[in-house]
Amino acid sequence: MEPPVTAPSVPRPQSPGRPEIPITTATPVKRERRWAVVALCIVLAVLAGLGAAAAVTSASNRVKVLAIARDVPAGQTLTDADLAVAEVSADGALTPVRAADRSSVVGKRTAVDLRKGGLLTSSQLGAGTGLGDDKQQVGVQIKRGQSPTGTLAAGDKVLAVTTPAQGDQPNAKNEGQPSSISAVVVSVSRPDASGTVVVNLAVATTDGPLLATRAVMGRIALVREPRSN
């Protein structure tokens, strides 16, 4: 009887060794990023707060001042219609006239040309009107054809000539030298739709009432004297 056949033994495969995990003490990257984001948010919040505070402070420091509403030539009397109110931030380098002082500058003469949109300063104005402050002033309404067109300016010397009353007919008695009053132009308004202007004239204290009476009757024409005089 033959002995039983024994199967050869198969060696068991060896399992791979476990990888060694290095030990580190470094802070995880995710935690570093998280703190960076938090810090950035804090900085942005602080900047936003400072910006809001600055805006509130700037708004509270704004003041109302006078601005030029339209072009005004030098030597012209400043009117209320020439002025507008604007708001600007308080600045020591700027010295515009406060809006509360509006009434005190109306009627003063401009020392320089004023341009629309600019701020009004005291240095741009002369003392008083600068013309005829020691004389009486009379406003005369002049229709088209009763004065030289577009040539009258502040400082011009003129003759306020009395024109004949309506219905008067020229004759030998009144063909002589017409009655006139010497005056100085203080200001000239802008013409209205019909071309009529108002001319402020400075005259001697003895001539003011007479000129005003003739002006109301519409019996005044202006003759400009030569400017070389």
Side-chain angles (χ1 to χ4, degrees):
M1 185 174 183
E2 295 180 0
V5 179
T6 304
S9 60
V10 179
R12 295 181 179 179
Q14 296 181 352
S15 60
R18 296 183 179 178
E20 296 183 357
I21 300 176
I23 300 175
T24 178
T25 58
T27 305
V29 177
K30 291 186 178 180
R31 182 173 298 178
E32 289 183 354
R33 292 180 178 175
R34 186 181 301 115
W35 280 111
V37 172
V38 171
L40 179 60
C41 292
I42 293 175
V43 172
L44 293 177
V46 172
L47 292 178
L50 292 176
V56 171
T57 302
S58 176
S60 62
N61 288 339
R62 296 182 71 83
V63 294
K64 292 184 177 181
V65 298
L66 293 179
I68 310 303
R70 56 189 179 185
D71 292 346
V72 182
Q76 195 80 293
T77 300
L78 200 64
T79 67
D80 189 72
D82 296 327
L83 301 174
V85 176
E87 286 191 4
V88 298
S89 298
D91 189 339
L94 300 177
T95 57
V97 178
R98 298 295 182 101
D101 299 329
R102 186 169 187 157
S103 60
S104 66
V105 299
V106 172
K108 288 191 174 182
R109 179 179 59 87
T110 57
V112 296
D113 290 339
L114 303 181
R115 299 302 179 189
K116 180 179 178 180
L119 299 180
L120 179 67
T121 63
S122 299
S123 61
Q124 295 172 326
L125 303 175
T129 62
L131 296 170
D133 291 332
D134 57 343
K135 298 181 179 182
Q136 292 183 340
Q137 293 191 23
V138 180
V140 180
Q141 191 176 55
I142 301 296
K143 296 180 180 180
R144 183 176 296 173
Q146 292 180 320
S147 70
T149 304
T151 61
L152 289 181
D156 282 343
K157 295 180 180 179
V158 297
L159 290 177
V161 181
T162 303
T163 59
Q166 188 175 4
D168 283 357
Q169 298 295 328
N171 52 49
K173 292 183 179 181
N174 57 24
E175 283 183 353
Q177 188 72 14
S179 175
S180 62
I181 297 174
S182 297
V184 176
V185 176
V186 176
S187 65
V188 182
S189 71
R190 292 173 174 78
D192 61 15
S194 65
T196 299
V197 297
V198 175
V199 182
N200 289 328
L201 299 176
V203 298
T205 54
T206 55
D207 295 330
L210 178 60
L211 178 59
T213 301
R214 294 175 179 175
V216 170
M217 299 172 63
R219 297 181 55 194
I220 293 295
L222 298 182
V223 177
R224 195 195 73 192
E225 298 276 25
R227 286 177 174 162
S228 58
N229 290 354

